[in-house]
Amino acid sequence: MMSLIQKVSISEAVKKQYFYKLKAYQGMFSTMIIFQLIGLFFSFQGEFVSTSHNNIAVTTNVYAADLIVAFNILWVFTMAIYLTNKASKNMMFTFVTDKRTNHLANLLFIITMSVIGGMTATLLGYVVRLAVIGYFGLEHILFFDPITLIGLLTSIATAVLYSLFVAIIGYTFGELVQLHKIFMFIVPVTILGYFITGINLFDEPSLITFFFFESNFSLFAIKIILTSALLFLIATQFGRNLEVRRP
Amino acid sequence: MNAVFLLAFILMIFLVVLARGIHKLLSRKLKWRILIVYVSVLVLATGAYFMLQPRFITQNNVVEKPFIPDVLKQSNGGEIPQKYEVTSWEIALENQSLFLDTAAKFDGVDFEEPTDLYVESDVYIPVLVKQGEVEKAHVTVYETPTTLKGIDISDHVAISTVDVTGNHVIVTPTPHSTTNFHSIRNDVTLYQFSDRRSMLGIHYDLDIGEVGLVITVPKGTKVEADSEYFDIIE
């Protein structure tokens, strides 16, 4: 008699689950487009900078893709939390799986979201710039920051890394909430409290300056990757013993 | 632009509300196609931007300019470069006198009305007066460009103008004006690793152009000007 039990390697299981998630959550990418388009429309307003001297006032609308990247980060954060909810976890019980392979498949999916999101958000910024030049005409563009290919790649990589970092934070938060609902309130209040009390007027070293003020790209990438790895490891430890499908 | 933005925003909210319905309506294949088309369009747009970019870069020419009062106050009555000369007049003087006025005062308007507070502070024109062996008075107007972070914006911003009526040189103060510009900068995701933060702090760098007069008059000519508005250098 042939055995019905097949031994599946971890990598095989992770791969299967990852492709399953890609199919199951493909709607997330439509949501990404909507989030980015909202960012796009806000970006058309630009940052408003004004200065005056005696009778003369000069205003400048400065355009960039910062808001699109911000909306993209909001999207990955939301989607990463979504990956940890009860429905998403129960869905994976159709597979012969354990928590470890599920977490690894989720990590791959988060990386995919971050790469696609970070790349498209940055590239959408060039649609904004082209539209601004087309709408107002080149003669009304006062300042223009040129971009090199290296600059573009750095910009994309940074957007991807920020997306990944925030997505992992969202994923960890989601896992924590699954442990106990009280964390749904404790974590945001703690983070908000940190930001309020930690207003940093003099650029003193803090968690914010540690990441956002790092001017060396390699160091920045190492910091983000290591911190994300640490957070992900913590996330995998939550509810480790909850192996049973919850109703 | 604001109306377009508002309409677009309302449309976006409408789309978000319908997002759930859209997900259900779209087939799996179509969703992937939409993503592929979206990415392709973005890549093409970025490619087009890179190809057109050299045309945009030529816009930024930083202008160096002299400070007119300093040049005129040099001990030898320093000369302002020719390129800053706007116009000049030859004036046949009556009674060997020349008057320098501001337009408001010349028209008999009280210049110290509270509403004109800013107009008043705007007019302070350096005037180099030379006396020489000439038959007519010669008035030359110099003007330096108005710059924003070193970029010449004179074509978009009007400053004080000078005109001549009889033996009156009349300066019309800078009119109230608001000028709008648009600028394109790199994303903060790049600024973090860049020393070139050209767009940051542009509001500190508005430098209004200056108007200066060089007047050569026949010897013995009396030049009368209100010291509140004109800085006579002899």
Side-chain angles (χ1 to χ4, degrees):
Chain A
M1 199 176 137
M2 236 172 68
S3 170
L4 288 174
I5 300 169
Q6 279 185 307
K7 213 173 183 182
V8 181
S9 68
I10 292 177
S11 61
E12 194 65 27
V14 170
K15 196 174 141 191
K16 269 190 178 173
Q17 283 187 49
Y18 168 68
F19 283 111
Y20 179 78
K21 281 172 198 281
L22 269 185
K23 277 182 188 168
Y25 297 132
Q26 63 180 191
M28 283 187 180
F29 293 104
S30 314
T31 314
M32 176 199 79
I33 295 174
I34 290 169
F35 265 72
Q36 290 185 357
L37 290 180
I38 294 170
L40 174 93
F41 285 115
F42 278 114
S43 298
F44 278 125
Q45 283 292 83
E47 293 162 29
F48 186 75
V49 181
S50 186
T51 181
S52 65
H53 187 272
N54 290 338
N55 295 347
I56 297 170
V58 174
T59 62
T60 312
N61 285 67
V62 185
Y63 301 92
D66 298 346
L67 273 174
I68 302 172
V69 175
F71 269 87
N72 181 67
I73 286 172
L74 188 66
W75 167 73
V76 285
F77 180 74
T78 316
M79 295 305 131
I81 293 175
Y82 185 80
L83 287 178
T84 61
N85 73 12
K86 214 184 288 176
S88 299
K89 283 189 172 161
N90 287 345
M91 186 176 77
M92 297 320 293
F93 280 97
T94 52
F95 280 87
V96 178
T97 182
D98 61 9
K99 279 201 167 282
R100 190 171 54 164
T101 53
N102 186 37
H103 279 308
L104 288 173
N106 279 343
L107 177 64
L108 283 181
F109 188 71
I110 284 171
I111 292 170
T112 308
M113 280 199 303
S114 304
V115 170
I116 294 176
M119 186 189 75
T120 50
T122 307
L123 295 188
L124 191 57
Y126 295 94
V127 174
V128 173
R129 290 169 174 95
L130 278 178
V132 165
I133 292 168
Y135 187 83
F136 295 108
L138 199 53
E139 65 278 6
H140 286 104
I141 306 296
L142 186 62
F143 294 105
F144 176 81
D145 253 356
I147 180 105
T148 59
L149 189 61
I150 297 288
L152 174 68
L153 294 175
T154 309
S155 206
I156 289 174
T158 312
V160 169
L161 285 169
Y162 272 128
S163 301
L164 178 70
F165 183 50
V166 173
I168 295 289
I169 291 172
Y171 189 74
T172 312
F173 172 64
E175 286 293 331
L176 201 58
V177 169
Q178 291 304 311
L179 206 64
H180 200 289
K181 296 288 176 206
I182 190 81
F183 288 114
M184 197 185 286
F185 304 102
I186 290 176
V187 175
V189 167
T190 310
I191 292 172
L192 196 69
Y194 175 79
F195 277 107
I196 291 169
T197 55
I199 291 173
N200 193 349
L201 292 176
F202 304 105
D203 293 352
E204 286 161 5
S206 70
L207 261 182
I208 297 162
T209 57
F210 181 72
F211 295 108
F212 303 133
F213 288 14
E214 177 53 66
S215 56
N216 182 307
F217 179 76
S218 308
L219 272 179
F220 168 76
I222 290 167
K223 282 177 181 180
I224 290 281
I225 291 167
L226 286 182
T227 315
S228 302
L230 184 70
L231 279 174
F232 183 75
L233 205 66
I234 293 168
T236 58
Q237 300 308 306
F238 296 138
R240 215 174 150 191
N241 300 319
L242 290 173
E243 295 290 343
V244 185
R245 179 176 182 158
R246 286 184 286 178
Chain B
M1 188 68 175
N2 280 342
V4 174
F5 171 76
L6 190 67
L7 276 174
F9 185 64
I10 291 167
L11 183 72
M12 288 314 302
I13 290 173
F14 182 67
L15 279 177
V16 172
V17 171
L18 287 180
R20 287 179 73 98
I22 289 168
H23 284 314
K24 284 174 191 166
L25 280 173
L26 300 177
S27 68
R28 191 169 285 179
K29 259 189 178 175
L30 192 59
K31 281 179 189 173
W32 282 120
R33 274 186 198 159
I34 289 171
L35 184 63
I36 290 164
V37 168
Y38 182 65
V39 173
S40 308
V41 168
L42 296 184
V43 170
L44 283 174
T46 308
Y49 185 83
F50 265 75
M51 280 166 66
L52 294 170
Q53 189 175 229
R55 292 192 204 175
F56 310 151
I57 297 171
T58 53
Q59 293 286 299
N60 289 4
N61 296 317
V62 174
V63 171
E64 296 285 335
K65 60 178 185 176
F67 184 54
I68 288 185
D70 279 358
V71 177
L72 294 183
K73 281 177 182 173
Q74 282 170 14
S75 55
N76 57 352
E79 290 210 351
I80 304 167
Q82 188 78 27
K83 64 176 177 177
Y84 298 114
E85 186 180 322
V86 179
T87 186
S88 62
W89 293 274
E90 291 266 327
I91 310 168
L93 298 176
E94 295 167 19
N95 306 324
Q96 280 204 304
S97 56
L98 181 71
F99 299 94
L100 304 179
D101 288 303
T102 57
K105 200 165 191 175
F106 186 73
D107 292 340
V109 177
D110 183 2
F111 209 13
E112 291 183 4
E113 281 286 315
T115 48
D116 282 330
L117 191 66
Y118 292 105
V119 177
E120 182 191 341
S121 63
D122 175 58
V123 181
Y124 194 69
I125 294 182
V127 185
L128 178 65
V129 178
K130 296 174 186 172
Q131 298 220 344
E133 300 294 333
V134 288
E135 285 181 12
K136 290 178 178 178
H138 188 86
V139 178
T140 309
V141 181
Y142 293 93
E143 187 182 303
T144 55
T146 298
T147 58
L148 184 62
K149 206 170 170 71
I151 309 290
D152 189 345
I153 56 167
S154 306
D155 290 345
H156 306 273
V157 177
I159 58 168
S160 304
T161 53
V162 180
D163 212 341
V164 169
T165 304
N167 57 347
H168 287 263
V169 176
I170 305 150
V171 175
T172 306
T174 303
H176 286 273
S177 70
T178 302
T179 312
N180 280 18
F181 290 109
H182 303 276
S183 295
I184 289 172
R185 69 157 170 77
N186 288 326
D187 301 334
V188 283
T189 46
L190 186 60
Y191 268 5
Q192 186 171 341
F193 312 106
S194 168
D195 294 331
R196 195 173 171 279
R197 299 183 176 203
S198 61
M199 297 292 158
L200 303 177
I202 57 172
H203 50 295
Y204 298 121
D205 284 332
L206 176 64
D207 191 356
I208 305 293
E210 281 149 347
V211 174
L213 299 175
V214 175
I215 300 174
T216 309
V217 288
K219 275 188 177 167
T221 303
K222 196 177 166 191
V223 177
E224 283 187 28
D226 189 336
S227 61
E228 200 175 335
Y229 307 115
F230 296 93
D231 180 15
I232 303 290
I233 306 153
E234 288 180 295

